[in-house]
Coordinates of all heavy atoms in Angstrom, one line a residue:
L148 N -99.6 -51.6 -18.8 CA -99.6 -51.1 -20.2 C -98.2 -51.4 -20.8 O -98.2 -51.9 -21.9 CB -99.9 -49.7 -20.1 CG -101.3 -49.2 -20.0 CD1 -101.5 -47.7 -19.8 CD2 -102.2 -49.7 -21.1
T149 N -97.2 -51.2 -20.0 CA -95.8 -51.4 -20.5 C -95.6 -53.0 -20.9 O -95.0 -53.3 -21.8 CB -94.8 -51.0 -19.5 OG1 -95.0 -49.6 -19.2 CG2 -93.4 -51.3 -20.0
T150 N -96.2 -53.8 -20.0 CA -96.0 -55.2 -20.3 C -96.7 -55.7 -21.4 O -96.2 -56.4 -22.3 CB -96.5 -56.1 -19.0 OG1 -95.7 -55.7 -17.9 CG2 -96.5 -57.5 -19.3
A151 N -98.0 -55.2 -21.6 CA -98.8 -55.6 -22.8 C -98.3 -54.9 -24.0 O -98.3 -55.5 -25.2 CB -100.2 -55.1 -22.5
A152 N -97.6 -53.7 -23.9 CA -97.1 -53.1 -25.2 C -96.0 -53.9 -25.7 O -95.7 -53.9 -27.0 CB -96.7 -51.7 -24.8
G153 N -95.1 -54.6 -24.9 CA -94.1 -55.5 -25.4 C -92.9 -55.0 -25.9 O -92.6 -53.6 -25.6
E154 N -92.1 -55.7 -26.5 CA -90.8 -55.3 -27.1 C -90.9 -54.0 -28.1 O -91.7 -54.0 -28.9 CB -90.0 -56.5 -27.7 CG -88.6 -56.1 -28.0 CD -87.9 -57.4 -28.7 OE1 -88.5 -58.4 -28.7 OE2 -86.7 -57.2 -29.1
G155 N -90.0 -53.1 -27.9 CA -90.0 -52.0 -28.8 C -90.8 -50.8 -28.3 O -90.6 -49.7 -28.7
A156 N -91.6 -51.1 -27.1 CA -92.3 -49.9 -26.5 C -91.4 -49.2 -25.6 O -90.4 -49.8 -25.1 CB -93.5 -50.4 -25.7
I157 N -91.6 -47.9 -25.3 CA -90.8 -47.0 -24.5 C -91.5 -46.9 -23.2 O -92.6 -46.5 -23.1 CB -90.5 -45.7 -25.2 CG1 -89.7 -45.8 -26.4 CG2 -89.7 -44.8 -24.2 CD1 -89.6 -44.5 -27.2
D158 N -90.8 -47.5 -22.2 CA -91.3 -47.4 -20.7 C -90.7 -46.2 -20.1 O -89.6 -46.0 -19.7 CB -90.8 -48.7 -20.0 CG -91.2 -48.7 -18.6 OD1 -92.0 -47.9 -18.2 OD2 -90.7 -49.6 -17.8
G159 N -91.6 -45.2 -19.9 CA -91.3 -43.9 -19.3 C -91.2 -42.8 -20.4 O -91.2 -43.1 -21.6
G160 N -90.9 -41.6 -19.9 CA -90.8 -40.5 -20.7 C -91.8 -39.4 -20.4 O -92.8 -39.7 -19.6
T161 N -91.6 -38.3 -20.9 CA -92.4 -37.1 -20.6 C -93.3 -36.7 -21.8 O -92.8 -36.5 -22.9 CB -91.5 -35.9 -20.1 OG1 -90.8 -36.2 -19.0 CG2 -92.4 -34.6 -20.0
M162 N -94.6 -36.5 -21.5 CA -95.5 -36.1 -22.5 C -95.8 -34.6 -22.2 O -96.3 -34.3 -21.1 CB -96.8 -36.9 -22.5 CG -97.8 -36.5 -23.6 SD -99.1 -37.7 -23.8 CE -100.1 -37.4 -22.3
V163 N -95.5 -33.7 -23.1 CA -95.8 -32.3 -23.0 C -97.1 -32.0 -23.7 O -97.3 -32.6 -24.8 CB -94.7 -31.4 -23.5 CG1 -94.4 -31.7 -24.9 CG2 -95.1 -30.0 -23.4
V164 N -98.1 -31.5 -23.0 CA -99.4 -31.2 -23.5 C -99.6 -29.7 -23.9 O -99.4 -28.9 -23.0 CB -100.5 -31.7 -22.5 CG1 -101.9 -31.5 -23.1 CG2 -100.3 -33.0 -22.1
I165 N -99.8 -29.5 -25.2 CA -99.9 -28.1 -25.6 C -101.4 -27.8 -25.8 O -102.3 -28.7 -25.9 CB -99.2 -27.9 -26.9 CG1 -99.7 -28.8 -28.0 CG2 -97.7 -28.1 -26.7 CD1 -99.1 -28.6 -29.4
E166 N -101.7 -26.5 -26.0 CA -103.1 -26.1 -26.0 C -103.8 -26.6 -27.4 O -105.0 -27.1 -27.3 CB -103.2 -24.5 -25.9 CG -104.6 -24.0 -25.9 CD -105.4 -24.5 -24.7 OE1 -104.8 -24.6 -23.6 OE2 -106.6 -24.8 -24.8
G167 N -103.1 -26.4 -28.5 CA -103.8 -26.7 -29.7 C -104.9 -25.7 -30.1 O -105.1 -24.8 -29.4
P168 N -105.7 -25.9 -31.1 CA -105.6 -27.1 -31.9 C -104.5 -27.1 -32.9 O -104.4 -28.1 -33.7 CB -107.1 -27.2 -32.5 CG -107.4 -25.7 -32.7 CD -106.9 -25.0 -31.4
R169 N -103.8 -26.0 -33.1 CA -102.7 -25.9 -34.0 C -101.6 -26.9 -33.6 O -101.4 -27.1 -32.4 CB -102.2 -24.5 -34.3 CG -101.4 -24.0 -33.1 CD -100.7 -22.6 -33.5 NE -100.1 -22.0 -32.2 CZ -98.8 -22.4 -31.9 NH1 -98.1 -23.4 -32.4 NH2 -98.3 -21.8 -30.8
F170 N -100.8 -27.3 -34.6 CA -99.6 -28.0 -34.2 C -98.4 -26.9 -34.0 O -98.6 -25.8 -34.1 CB -99.1 -28.8 -35.4 CG -100.0 -30.0 -35.8 CD1 -100.7 -30.2 -36.9 CD2 -100.3 -31.0 -34.8 CE1 -101.4 -31.2 -37.3 CE2 -101.0 -32.1 -35.1 CZ -101.7 -32.1 -36.3
S171 N -97.4 -27.5 -33.4 CA -96.2 -26.7 -32.9 C -95.5 -26.0 -34.0 O -95.4 -26.7 -35.2 CB -95.3 -27.5 -32.1 OG -95.9 -28.2 -31.0
T172 N -94.9 -24.8 -33.8 CA -93.9 -24.4 -34.8 C -92.6 -25.2 -34.6 O -92.4 -26.0 -33.7 CB -93.6 -22.9 -34.5 OG1 -92.9 -22.8 -33.2 CG2 -94.8 -22.1 -34.5
R173 N -91.7 -25.0 -35.6 CA -90.4 -25.8 -35.5 C -89.7 -25.4 -34.2 O -89.1 -26.2 -33.5 CB -89.6 -25.6 -36.8 CG -90.2 -26.2 -38.0 CD -89.1 -26.1 -39.2 NE -89.9 -26.5 -40.5 CZ -90.1 -27.8 -40.8 NH1 -89.7 -28.7 -40.0 NH2 -90.7 -28.0 -41.9
A174 N -89.7 -24.1 -34.0 CA -88.9 -23.6 -32.8 C -89.6 -24.1 -31.5 O -88.8 -24.5 -30.6 CB -89.0 -22.0 -32.7
E175 N -90.8 -24.2 -31.5 CA -91.5 -24.8 -30.2 C -91.1 -26.3 -30.1 O -90.7 -26.7 -29.0 CB -93.0 -24.6 -30.3 CG -93.4 -23.2 -30.1 CD -95.0 -23.0 -30.5 OE1 -95.5 -23.8 -31.3 OE2 -95.5 -22.0 -30.0
S176 N -91.2 -27.0 -31.2 CA -90.9 -28.4 -31.1 C -89.5 -28.6 -30.8 O -89.1 -29.4 -30.0 CB -91.2 -29.0 -32.6 OG -90.8 -30.3 -32.6
Q177 N -88.5 -27.8 -31.3 CA -87.1 -27.9 -31.0 C -86.9 -27.7 -29.4 O -86.0 -28.3 -28.8 CB -86.3 -27.0 -31.9 CG -86.2 -27.5 -33.3 CD -85.8 -26.3 -34.3 OE1 -85.5 -25.2 -33.8 NE2 -85.7 -26.7 -35.5
S178 N -87.6 -26.6 -29.0 CA -87.5 -26.3 -27.5 C -88.0 -27.5 -26.6 O -87.2 -27.9 -25.6 CB -88.2 -25.1 -27.1 OG -89.6 -25.2 -27.1
Y179 N -89.1 -28.2 -27.0 CA -89.6 -29.3 -26.3 C -88.5 -30.4 -26.3 O -88.2 -31.1 -25.3 CB -90.9 -29.8 -26.8 CG -92.0 -28.8 -26.9 CD1 -93.0 -28.9 -27.9 CD2 -92.0 -27.7 -25.9 CE1 -94.0 -28.0 -27.9 CE2 -93.1 -26.8 -26.0 CZ -94.0 -26.9 -27.0 OH -95.0 -26.0 -27.0
A180 N -87.9 -30.7 -27.5 CA -87.0 -31.7 -27.6 C -85.7 -31.5 -26.9 O -85.1 -32.3 -26.2 CB -86.7 -32.0 -29.2
A181 N -85.4 -30.2 -26.9 CA -84.0 -29.8 -26.2 C -84.2 -29.9 -24.6 O -83.3 -30.1 -23.9 CB -83.7 -28.4 -26.5
A182 N -85.5 -29.9 -24.2 CA -85.8 -30.0 -22.8 C -85.7 -31.4 -22.4 O -85.7 -31.8 -21.2 CB -87.2 -29.5 -22.4
G183 N -85.6 -32.3 -23.3 CA -85.6 -33.7 -23.0 C -86.9 -34.4 -23.1 O -87.0 -35.6 -22.6
W184 N -88.0 -33.8 -23.3 CA -89.3 -34.3 -23.4 C -89.4 -35.3 -24.5 O -88.8 -35.2 -25.5 CB -90.4 -33.2 -23.4 CG -90.2 -32.3 -22.2 CD1 -89.6 -32.6 -21.1 CD2 -90.6 -30.9 -22.2 NE1 -89.6 -31.5 -20.2 CE2 -90.2 -30.5 -20.9 CE3 -91.2 -30.1 -23.1 CZ2 -90.6 -29.2 -20.5 CZ3 -91.5 -28.8 -22.7 CH2 -91.2 -28.3 -21.3
T185 N -90.2 -36.3 -24.4 CA -90.3 -37.4 -25.3 C -91.3 -37.3 -26.3 O -91.1 -37.6 -27.6 CB -90.6 -38.7 -24.4 OG1 -89.8 -38.8 -23.3 CG2 -90.4 -40.0 -25.2
V186 N -92.6 -36.9 -26.0 CA -93.7 -36.8 -27.0 C -94.5 -35.6 -26.7 O -94.5 -35.0 -25.6 CB -94.6 -38.1 -27.0 CG1 -93.9 -39.3 -27.5 CG2 -95.1 -38.3 -25.6
V187 N -95.3 -35.1 -27.7 CA -96.2 -34.0 -27.6 C -97.6 -34.3 -27.9 O -97.8 -35.2 -28.9 CB -95.7 -32.8 -28.5 CG1 -95.6 -33.2 -29.9 CG2 -96.5 -31.6 -28.2
N188 N -98.6 -33.7 -27.2 CA -100.0 -34.2 -27.3 C -100.8 -33.0 -27.0 O -100.4 -32.0 -26.5 CB -100.1 -35.4 -26.3 CG -101.6 -35.7 -26.1 OD1 -102.1 -35.2 -25.1 ND2 -102.2 -36.5 -26.9
M189 N -102.1 -33.1 -27.3 CA -103.0 -32.0 -26.9 C -104.2 -32.3 -26.0 O -104.9 -31.4 -25.7 CB -103.7 -31.5 -28.3 CG -102.7 -30.9 -29.3 SD -103.6 -30.4 -30.8 CE -102.3 -30.0 -31.9
T190 N -104.2 -33.5 -25.5 CA -105.4 -34.0 -24.7 C -105.1 -34.6 -23.4 O -106.0 -34.9 -22.6 CB -106.4 -34.9 -25.5 OG1 -105.6 -36.1 -25.9 CG2 -106.9 -34.3 -26.8
G191 N -103.8 -34.8 -23.1 CA -103.5 -35.6 -21.9 C -103.6 -34.8 -20.7 O -103.5 -35.4 -19.5
H192 N -103.9 -33.5 -20.8 CA -104.1 -32.7 -19.6 C -105.3 -31.7 -19.8 O -105.4 -31.2 -21.0 CB -102.8 -31.8 -19.3 CG -102.9 -31.0 -18.0 ND1 -102.6 -31.6 -16.8 CD2 -103.3 -29.8 -17.7 CE1 -102.8 -30.6 -15.9 NE2 -103.1 -29.5 -16.4
P193 N -106.2 -31.7 -19.0 CA -106.1 -32.0 -17.6 C -106.8 -33.4 -17.2 O -107.1 -33.5 -16.0 CB -107.1 -30.9 -16.9 CG -108.1 -30.6 -18.0 CD -107.4 -30.7 -19.3
E194 N -106.9 -34.3 -18.1 CA -107.5 -35.6 -17.7 C -106.8 -36.2 -16.6 O -107.4 -36.7 -15.7 CB -107.4 -36.5 -18.9 CG -108.5 -36.4 -20.0 CD -108.4 -37.5 -21.0 OE1 -107.6 -38.4 -21.0 OE2 -109.3 -37.3 -22.0
A195 N -105.5 -36.3 -16.6 CA -104.8 -37.0 -15.6 C -105.0 -36.3 -14.2 O -105.2 -37.0 -13.2 CB -103.3 -37.0 -15.9

Side-chain angles (χ1 to χ4, degrees):
L148 287 169
T149 301
T150 299
E154 186 176 355
I157 297 176
D158 179 8
T161 297
M162 182 166 71
V163 55
V164 184
I165 61 175
E166 184 64 37
R169 69 170 177 85
F170 292 119
S171 303
T172 67
R173 293 191 190 278
E175 289 168 337
S176 179
Q177 289 164 0
S178 73
Y179 304 152
W184 302 335
T185 312
V186 292
V187 58
N188 166 266
M189 296 181 190
T190 58
H192 187 81
E194 276 186 4

